[in-house]
Amino acid sequence: MARAGLTAERLAQGGADLADEIGFEQVTVAGLARRFKVKPASLYFHVKSSADLKARVALVALAELADRASEAVAGRSREAALAALGNSYRNYAHEHPGRFAAMQLRLDSETAARSDGPRHTRLMRAILREYELGEADQTHAVRLLGSTFQGYVNLELSGSFSHSEPSSNVSWEHIIHGLHILLQNWQVRQPGAANDRE
Amino acid sequence: MARAGLTAERLAQGGADLADEIGFEQVTVAGLARRFKVKPASLYFHVKSSADLKARVALVALAELADRASEAVAGRSREAALAALGNSYRNYAHEHPGRFAAMQLRLDSETAARSDGPRHTRLMRAILREYELGEADQTHAVRLLGSTFQGYVNLELSGSFSHSEPSSNVSWEHIIHGLHILLQNWQVRQPGAANDRE
DNA sequence: CGTAAAACCTAATGGTCGTAGGCAAAAGGC
DNA sequence: GCCTTTTGCCTACGACCATTAGGTTTTACG
């Protein structure tokens, strides 16, 4: 009986493909075993548990998207960079919904620190540097961008925008532009009056 | 043997409580049956399936939050209304993480239409009316607000903001204010130059 | 070529969803 | 107040999943 040649990496990759096909929530040890024509018990030689498997899928997605995003942003600045980054997220999510869902899995802080998550943050900060925000405002902006990108794509994927006009593509472009405008004006408020709530 | 007095409503309510305690993903027919000191099979008299149960929890959450948000927004306008709405979402999510997660369950379009989801949209539009945006821009703005609120709270709940300064509360206030600024300036671009991507 | 580690297997436990069919409690007719 | 019907919950079961224990085959290496 020829061996399947399983490794943790191949399982994570296969799990990611499976997630894109049937949804991340539906990924299961048994299902992945079927895909590799192997018995479920065999997977436990390479991954600790079902949760471990899912975390590995998340790491794959995090790394892939970080690569894509870096490439897309390279050589662009300001609004073009912002759009490139946003589009990386959105396109990746459309092409790989299961992987994108996996990315939102809550990782324990140690795994999160070793992951490519920080790369995403650094990439955003690199773009924001051009808007010349203060230190704290840069962090706020990172959080804003992350929230809006993630939130928009989630709502879009869950179908929330598909039952009304105008098309989601149009809204997306307006929102990217809006964020750019907001970032441009952000610093202006800084030297002026009190920065807290009115 | 005294009867438990189950109904679909009580099960949805109990499911919502269970979700807040152990997480929405962990809600199970068997677990809910234990909570009501009843056998799993008994629940199927009141709900069609596990998926049906979860959908009912989502409807409960959608309705509860719509009530809260309406109340919070009443009598406020512009930035105050925006902040009240955002805080409704955020506070609800913090107090009821399981219910909040349930709200993001993908409902089939018929159920979604009957749900209180549209109330959320109407409430946002009511606030946005004061910013005097165009018809299409109002839709874009609804999508922006929904995305940002949902995305921010999700990232916050998943712990993404808890490992760095400044505190999430501060970012939240800045982001609400930023959105207000953005909405104020949104219309300005309207009469000016071309509205598409530069 | 033989040995030992590595890769995969069988088997078993215990959890989940969901269906079928039984029994007992509550509700309604008389 | 008794009898019948509906309703609510139960037992029993089949199918699937996660996970562990322990056995067997394959491969690598000395």
Side-chain angles (χ1 to χ4, degrees):
Chain A
M1 192 173 296
R3 296 201 176 172
L6 304 180
T7 66
E9 289 70 31
R10 288 193 62 202
L11 288 177
Q13 200 68 37
D17 293 343
L18 192 56
D20 285 336
E21 291 166 22
I22 66 174
F24 181 65
E25 301 299 332
Q26 277 63 52
V27 169
T28 159
V29 171
L32 190 56
R34 273 191 295 273
R35 168 176 274 254
F36 281 99
K37 296 182 200 288
V38 139
K39 300 298 167 186
S42 305
L43 301 203
Y44 288 88
F45 208 96
H46 307 280
V47 299
K48 266 208 307 291
S49 64
S50 180
D52 180 34
L53 171 64
K54 290 187 176 179
R56 286 172 190 272
V57 174
L59 294 179
V60 164
L62 237 24
E64 283 182 1
L65 180 49
D67 288 347
R68 275 208 193 194
S70 305
E71 206 172 320
V73 164
R76 303 184 200 267
S77 71
R78 309 274 286 181
E79 185 168 3
L82 194 62
L85 180 67
N87 287 330
S88 299
Y89 274 73
R90 184 164 176 249
N91 293 337
Y92 187 76
H94 283 241
E95 291 169 33
H96 300 293
R99 283 168 158 88
F100 187 75
M103 265 181 35
Q104 298 174 53
L105 186 69
R106 191 184 172 139
L107 301 171
D108 60 287
S109 51
E110 197 190 336
T111 311
R114 290 175 200 276
S115 79
D116 279 341
R119 275 180 72 197
H120 291 254
T121 306
R122 286 201 300 273
L123 195 54
M124 276 194 195
R125 286 193 185 276
I127 292 173
L128 289 171
R129 213 165 290 133
E130 298 180 291
Y131 289 94
E132 294 177 4
L133 309 176
E135 173 70 24
D137 280 339
Q138 196 182 73
T139 302
H140 303 323
V142 167
R143 291 171 176 179
L144 169 62
L145 293 182
S147 301
T148 305
F149 290 167
Q150 205 245 37
Y152 191 91
V153 173
N154 274 334
L155 289 178
E156 188 179 28
L157 284 183
S158 82
S160 302
F161 301 157
S162 52
H163 298 306
S164 53
E165 286 300 312
S167 91
S168 185
N169 286 331
V170 176
S171 287
W172 175 253
E173 284 187 20
H174 279 253
I175 285 173
I176 294 287
H177 185 63
L179 290 172
H180 167 69
I181 298 291
L182 175 54
L183 290 173
Q184 268 186 328
N185 297 352
W186 200 304
Q187 53 169 340
V188 173
R189 317 194 330 269
Q190 206 71 317
N195 206 6
D196 42 14
R197 55 191 168 98
E198 198 80 344
Chain B
M1 191 174 297
R3 299 202 175 172
L6 305 181
T7 66
E9 289 70 32
R10 287 194 62 201
L11 289 177
Q13 201 68 36
D17 293 343
L18 191 57
D20 286 337
E21 291 166 22
I22 66 174
F24 181 64
E25 300 300 333
Q26 277 63 52
V27 170
T28 161
V29 171
L32 189 57
R34 274 191 293 274
R35 167 176 274 255
F36 280 99
K37 296 181 200 288
V38 141
K39 301 299 167 186
S42 304
L43 301 204
Y44 289 88
F45 201 85
H46 306 280
V47 299
K48 266 209 305 292
S49 65
S50 181
D52 179 34
L53 171 64
K54 290 188 174 178
R56 286 172 189 273
V57 174
L59 294 178
V60 165
L62 237 25
E64 282 183 1
L65 180 49
D67 287 347
R68 273 209 194 194
S70 307
E71 205 172 321
V73 164
R76 301 184 201 267
S77 71
R78 310 272 288 179
E79 185 168 4
L82 194 62
L85 180 66
N87 287 330
S88 299
Y89 274 74
R90 184 165 177 248
N91 293 337
Y92 186 76
H94 284 241
E95 291 169 33
H96 300 294
R99 283 169 158 88
F100 187 75
M103 264 180 37
Q104 299 174 52
L105 186 69
R106 190 183 174 142
L107 302 171
D108 59 288
S109 51
E110 197 191 337
T111 311
R114 291 174 199 277
S115 79
D116 279 343
R119 275 181 70 197
H120 291 254
T121 306
R122 287 200 300 275
L123 194 55
M124 277 194 194
R125 285 194 185 276
I127 293 173
L128 289 171
R129 212 164 293 134
E130 298 180 290
Y131 288 93
E132 294 175 4
L133 308 177
E135 174 70 24
D137 280 338
Q138 196 182 72
T139 302
H140 303 323
V142 167
R143 291 171 177 179
L144 169 62
L145 293 183
S147 300
T148 305
F149 290 167
Q150 204 246 35
Y152 190 91
V153 173
N154 275 333
L155 290 177
E156 189 180 28
L157 285 182
S158 83
S160 302
F161 301 156
S162 52
H163 298 305
S164 53
E165 287 298 312
S167 91
S168 185
N169 287 330
V170 176
S171 287
W172 175 253
E173 283 187 20
H174 280 251
I175 285 173
I176 294 287
H177 185 62
L179 290 172
H180 167 68
I181 298 290
L182 175 54
L183 290 174
Q184 268 187 329
N185 296 353
W186 200 304
Q187 54 171 339
V188 172
R189 316 197 327 272
Q190 206 72 318
N195 205 6
D196 43 12
R197 55 192 167 98
E198 200 79 340

